[in-house]
Structures are given as structure tokens and as C-alpha cells.
Amino acid sequence: MDDVERAARKVREVEQAVTEHVTRSGPVTGRASSPDGAVTVVATPGGPPQQISVSPAALRMGPQGLAAEIMRIAEKAQRTANTRLHQTLERVVDPRELTAMGIERGPDEDDFGWQR
């Protein structure tokens, strides 16, 4: 068996392990909120936001300010989702392989950006 065949087999094994694990554990999401709670975003790893909540107080930011805040919180929610996916999958896949596939584990942060 040559290197290409071994690599292809490894990719199939990793895909199967990931699929089975995610099927059992359910969807992985990340949630982040602005410190004042005016903007909250729920995101998936590598995907668009699944939910965006904006309080009436957030409208005082103006269109550009609100858009920038939504983008900032959405990026944080996606980083959280990526970290959670990495934490979930590293039980079935070598963490180095996850990083090579673009699933990176970031620092554990709470909703206020504090690292744990």
C-alpha cells in the first residue's frame, strides 16, 4: 500500500469517527454575548451565525457600531464553537490532526473574554 492509499484510508477513518461522534453528541455550537448583553450570537464551527439577538439598547450604537459589534461577537462565538468541537473530537481523533484540518482549539474564555 502506498502513501496516498494510506492517507486516503486515514482520512476515511477520521471522517467516520467524527461523524459517529457528532451524531451521538449532537450539534456543536458556541455562544457569545457583549459584556452588557446587548448582542448575543450562537454560531457553529466554520459556519454562519445560527442566531443573533439584539436588545433595544443595542440600537443606540447606530448602524455601523451595531454591525461591528455583531461581527465581533459572531467571531467570538465561532471561536468558542471551534474550541468546543476540538475538545469534543480530540477524544476520538489525534488533536494534531484536528489542527491540521483547521479545527483549532482556542483559549477557554467566558462570556466576558476572561481566559480560564
Side-chain angles (χ1 to χ4, degrees):
M1 182 182 306
D2 67 0
D3 289 342
V4 173
E5 289 175 10
R6 266 194 297 281
R9 188 179 81 225
K10 183 66 175 175
V11 167
R12 284 191 303 274
E13 290 170 1
V14 168
E15 286 176 345
Q16 183 174 354
V18 167
T19 299
E20 290 171 1
H21 190 74
V22 170
T23 299
R24 284 191 308 272
S25 66
V28 175
T29 61
R31 178 185 203 91
S33 296
S34 58
D36 62 0
V39 176
T40 300
V41 177
V42 176
T44 58
Q50 300 296 300
Q51 179 182 351
I52 299 172
S53 301
V54 177
S55 76
L59 300 178
R60 287 186 236 135
M61 293 180 199
Q64 287 82 15
L66 180 56
E69 184 69 352
I70 289 171
M71 293 301 294
R72 185 180 75 79
I73 299 302
E75 288 172 6
K76 184 175 177 184
Q78 191 170 59
R79 283 193 313 270
T80 300
N82 285 342
T83 295
R84 287 186 175 160
L85 180 61
H86 195 284
Q87 290 169 332
T88 298
L89 295 181
E90 68 186 12
R91 297 175 190 147
V92 294
V93 179
D94 184 328
R96 293 172 299 205
E97 292 179 19
L98 293 172
T99 300
M101 292 182 339
I103 303 171
E104 299 196 26
R105 180 177 181 161
D108 293 333
E109 296 179 0
D110 63 18
D111 281 345
F112 301 104
W114 295 96
Q115 292 188 0
R116 297 181 185 164

